Amino acid sequence: VKLAYMSDVVSFLIQQYRNLAFGVAKGADDNNNEASTSMMLPLEVVLLVTSGGGAVSQYGLAAAQIERLASENGITLTACVDQAAASGGYMVACRAHRLIAAPFATIGSIGVMMETLNFRDLARNYGITPISLKSGKHKNTLSTFGPITAADEKHETERMKKVHESFQQLVIASRPALANRLELLEGQVFLGSEALELDLIDEVMTSDEYIMQRVLAGDRVLRLHQSKMRQSARGLIQISPLDLLPHIRSRVSKFTASIAASPERAVSFIMSASTVWGFANHLFHQYIAANLRDD
């Protein structure tokens, strides 16, 4: 799920869950139109996280959306990391009720960084005089062409420190065992196997292993994906033939493979198809004859 769609996805899952789209508990009254907590089947959402981080504002918002989903009564959220959940990626993953990572996944990087380039001196060496105007003492402290003072650098460093402290507190709120281990929240990265020993994750396992585990336990496992169906101005769903092609292609491929593997099955299919066609043709002519008599 792209970060831009995170809000829509979370809202969709919560709405569907409240509307009993994932099933009703045994003994619930099917005629009751109002969804109550006792009627809802428990739902586990498995979030596959692969991210090395990015802008604080984007990942902070994504973490808030994940918290909204995790706080929904009746929903359990499990985050699986196969490759990386670092920096902002870990910020999102740690908001789940349970965090699972592959043995060699990259975990952690709980820190904040900022990099920029200043071309002021380079421009002046070529006879170019950069002009940077601003109003406000701390406006645009890290300018690309304007002067950068020690006070500007100090201001940005203090601001980054506040963001880092907020990041640490968010992680501790999700994993209280780290409250007395702040040395682990200083930007280091760990392998999944190391992260388990340090209480940064709950279990070492790949996402495929975990999902198969749920399947073998008898759970109904569904995969959420972006629909290609379009919606008309009247609110009706418009289905394109292209949406059906992958399913048809899959069925045809399996069918042709079974026919090729067994000539007897091919002969049987042809005979069955001929019988069905003959019966349908007979019904059609009976229908035509009956209509002609009525006229």
Side-chain angles (χ1 to χ4, degrees), residues 20-227:
L20 307 179
F22 299 105
V24 180
K26 293 182 179 179
D29 183 5
D30 294 336
N31 296 322
N32 188 356
N33 294 324
E34 295 183 2
S36 63
T37 304
S38 60
M39 293 174 59
M40 298 178 181
L41 282 174
L43 173 67
E44 179 182 8
V45 177
V46 178
L47 179 67
L48 306 182
V49 179
T50 303
S51 174
V56 173
S57 57
Q58 288 184 331
Y59 281 87
L61 178 59
Q65 296 294 346
I66 295 302
E67 170 64 20
R68 184 161 67 95
L69 180 61
S71 61
E72 181 71 14
N73 189 27
I75 294 181
T76 301
L77 183 59
T78 301
C80 291
V81 182
D82 287 332
Q83 298 182 36
S87 194
Y90 187 79
M91 179 186 288
V92 171
C94 77
R95 302 307 283 168
H97 297 111
R98 189 181 182 197
L99 179 51
I100 300 173
F104 288 93
T106 300
I107 303 295
S109 188
I110 303 166
V112 183
M113 64 169 289
M114 180 184 298
E115 291 182 334
T116 187
L117 294 173
N118 183 271
F119 297 100
R120 181 176 177 81
D121 291 340
L122 178 63
R124 292 169 70 91
N125 288 339
Y126 284 91
I128 301 172
T129 303
I131 299 176
S132 179
L133 304 176
K134 63 180 182 178
S135 176
K137 180 179 179 181
H138 298 300
K139 180 68 175 178
N140 194 25
T141 51
L142 296 182
S143 172
T144 304
F145 291 101
I148 299 177
T149 65
D152 293 333
E153 293 183 4
K154 180 180 178 181
H155 172 75
E156 288 299 324
T157 301
E158 291 176 350
R159 187 171 69 88
M160 289 174 56
K161 184 177 180 180
K162 292 179 181 178
V163 175
H164 184 206
E165 290 174 351
S166 297
F167 191 175
Q168 290 176 322
Q169 292 305 313
L170 182 145
V171 172
I172 292 172
S174 301
R175 310 190 68 82
L178 297 174
N180 298 322
R181 309 188 70 179
L182 293 179
E183 69 277 4
L184 301 177
L185 313 182
E186 292 292 341
Q188 313 96 306
V189 293
F190 306 95
L191 294 177
S193 54
E194 295 177 305
L196 178 62
E197 299 175 359
L198 300 174
D199 292 323
L200 288 167
I201 65 172
D202 299 302
E203 191 171 356
V204 175
M205 186 186 302
T206 66
S207 63
D208 292 332
E209 288 178 290
Y210 182 69
I211 292 173
M212 181 57 66
Q213 187 181 91
R214 304 317 310 159
V215 171
L216 295 177
D219 292 347
R220 183 167 60 122
V221 178
L222 306 175
R223 181 179 181 182
L224 179 67
H225 61 90
Q226 187 176 0
S227 175

